[in-house]
Amino acid sequence: MLGVSRASAGEMLKRLEAEGLVERGEQKEAILTPLGIERAQKVVRKHRIIERFLTDFMGYTAAESHVQADELGDTFTDDMIERMAERLGNPDRCPHGWPVDTDFEQAENRELVALSDLGPGDRATVVRLAEHDGELLHWFYDEGLAPGTPLEVAKTEDGTLTVVAGGREHAVEDKRAAGLFVRRAA
């Protein structure tokens, strides 16, 4: 998924372990240490603030901002990020719906489900879009399935959900639906 070799990933894990950011579990899995969690939260917050800056001030589309934020992440200091956040009005979310505050994100996770978990007649509102796949992210926006979009599942058939959003039907394969996080309508 990250496009790196197994050897490169192994070397990176060794480096993270040496820096005290990860430790190995019983099955040799990598587990973030408290310091690793703290560092990861800072990286995520920085990324989301940069995405907001790129969309709100620089005119990038929401999908483009993710790619650019990946490239720019290490170039901004903590002070620069704080100034950006302040200039942006301390945004709550990135353009893809993910909370800037990672603690809030964890709490909100309990309220959300993947679109793939819904069935015919279920109504919901899009809250977040998976960011790990740039092509998928573009597809969500091209289909009009952006955060804040209300939708209703019309039918499910052969691994595809048909949803009505924005006055039209959208065929969403299960793989794509698993990356679209929604809040069920009350």
Side-chain angles (χ1 to χ4, degrees), residues 70-136:
D70 277 347
E71 295 293 322
L72 293 169
D74 291 336
T75 61
F76 291 99
T77 65
D78 291 345
D79 179 62
M80 292 168 85
I81 294 298
E82 292 313 310
R83 288 178 185 219
M84 289 167 89
E86 187 177 316
R87 189 61 65 111
L88 289 162
N90 294 306
D92 294 333
R93 294 181 183 272
C94 80
H96 319 298
W98 292 85
V100 171
D101 178 342
T102 54
D103 289 333
F104 180 77
E105 175 186 337
Q106 295 303 311
E108 185 181 64
N109 285 344
R110 293 185 288 277
E111 303 170 18
L112 304 180
V113 296
L115 177 61
S116 57
D117 292 337
L118 301 183
D122 287 340
R123 294 180 316 132
T125 300
V126 177
V127 177
R128 301 183 199 158
L129 308 175
E131 297 177 308
H132 66 277
D133 180 335
E135 185 178 308
L136 180 59

Side-chain angles (χ1 to χ4, degrees), residues 37-94:
I37 291 169
E38 182 182 325
R39 182 88 53 90
Q41 288 173 331
K42 282 180 74 173
V43 168
V44 167
R45 182 176 185 278
K46 179 185 276 191
H47 180 88
R48 292 175 182 170
I49 294 293
I50 293 170
E51 286 179 324
R52 263 283 55 111
F53 176 77
L54 291 170
T55 56
D56 295 6
F57 282 106
M58 302 297 292
Y60 283 88
T61 67
E64 291 170 333
S65 74
H66 179 71
V67 174
Q68 296 298 324
D70 277 347
E71 295 293 322
L72 293 169
D74 291 336
T75 61
F76 291 99
T77 65
D78 291 345
D79 179 62
M80 292 168 85
I81 294 298
E82 292 313 310
R83 288 178 185 219
M84 289 167 89
E86 187 177 316
R87 189 61 65 111
L88 289 162
N90 294 306
D92 294 333
R93 294 181 183 272
C94 80

Side-chain angles (χ1 to χ4, degrees), residues 17 19 32 36 56 76 80 90 92 96-97 120 145 151 155 161 170:
E17 198 170 2
E19 291 180 24
L32 288 172
D56 295 6
F76 291 99
M80 292 168 85
N90 294 306
D92 294 333
H96 319 298
L145 299 172
L151 55 81
K155 65 181 177 181
L161 285 85
H170 306 265

